[in-house]
Amino acid sequence: MDLFTGLLSSLGLSGAAGLNAYIPLLVVGLLTRAGVMNLAQPFDLLANPWVLLAVAVVGALDFVGDKIPGVDHVLHLVGGVVNTAAGAVLFASQAGVADVPPALKLALGLVVAGGVHATRAAVRPVATATTGGLGNPVVSAAEDASSLGLSVLAVFAPILAVLGLAGLGVVAYRLWSRVRGWRRRAL
C-alpha cells in the first residue's frame, strides 16, 4: 500500500469511526484475522478474538441504544471520546502511512473522526425535534450503514471511501443550512 492509498484508507476508516466507532474496528479486526489486511504492532491486537468479542458486544449495545431517543443523545456524548479515539487508532493502524509520524497520524484521526462525530451529534437533535424521536432509528440505521459502507470502501476502494465521506459532508451541510433557514423564518 503506497502513501497516497494508505492516507485515503486512513481517512475513510477514521471518518467511518466518527459515525460508529465499533463497525470499522470490527471490519479491520475481522479482515486482519482473515488475512486480507496486515496491521503492524500494536494495532494487530484488533484481530485478537477477545478484543473482537468485546468490540462486538459493546457495539451491539450501542447499536440498540442508538435507536432509542434520549439514550442516543447520551451515547453521542460518550461517543465524543470513544468515536474520536477509535478514529485515531484506525488512522494510525494503516501501514500505508508508515512514513507519517505516529503523533500526526493520531492527531489526523482525531480530527477526522471528531469532525464527523460532531456533525452527527449536531444533526441528530434536529432529527429528534422534527420527527418527535420517530426518525431516530432511521437516522441511526443510515449512520450505521454509512459507517459499514465507508469501512469496506476504505479497505478495498479508498478513493471511493473519501468521496463518500465528502458526500456525507455535503449532505450534512445542506441539512444544516435548511434547518438554519427554517429557524430564521420562524423567528
Side-chain angles (χ1 to χ4, degrees):
M1 184 183 299
D2 66 346
L3 179 63
F4 183 69
T5 305
L7 183 61
L8 293 178
S9 182
S10 296
L11 288 169
L13 286 170
S14 60
L19 292 170
N20 182 315
Y22 309 102
I23 291 173
L25 289 171
L26 281 171
V27 166
V28 168
L30 291 171
L31 289 176
T32 300
R33 188 140 182 85
V36 176
M37 293 180 69
N38 292 319
L39 295 177
Q41 288 185 337
F43 303 108
D44 61 343
L45 188 62
L46 290 173
N48 180 294
W50 292 107
V51 171
L52 286 170
L53 180 63
V55 170
V57 168
V58 175
L61 293 172
D62 178 76
F63 181 82
V64 172
D66 197 39
K67 310 298 186 269
I68 303 168
V71 174
D72 63 341
H73 296 302
V74 172
L75 289 173
H76 289 176
L77 287 173
V78 172
V81 174
V82 173
N83 292 47
T84 54
V89 167
L90 287 162
F91 196 106
S93 72
Q94 298 308 293
V97 289
D99 298 338
V100 179
L104 180 58
K105 288 193 279 189
L106 289 170
L108 288 171
L110 281 170
V111 169
V112 172
V116 170
H117 182 74
T119 302
R120 170 190 181 211
V123 169
R124 185 61 77 88
V126 174
T128 301
T130 58
T131 65
L134 297 176
N136 287 28
V138 174
V139 173
S140 177
E143 291 167 352
D144 294 339
S146 297
S147 181
L148 178 60
L150 283 174
S151 298
V152 171
L153 286 174
V155 173
F156 296 109
I159 192 143
L160 294 178
V162 172
L163 290 173
L165 192 57
L168 287 174
V170 169
V171 168
Y173 176 77
R174 286 186 177 176
L175 285 173
W176 184 254
S177 296
R178 185 175 292 166
V179 168
R180 255 190 15 221
W182 291 338
R183 283 186 185 168
R184 286 183 186 154
R185 282 182 255 144
L187 296 176

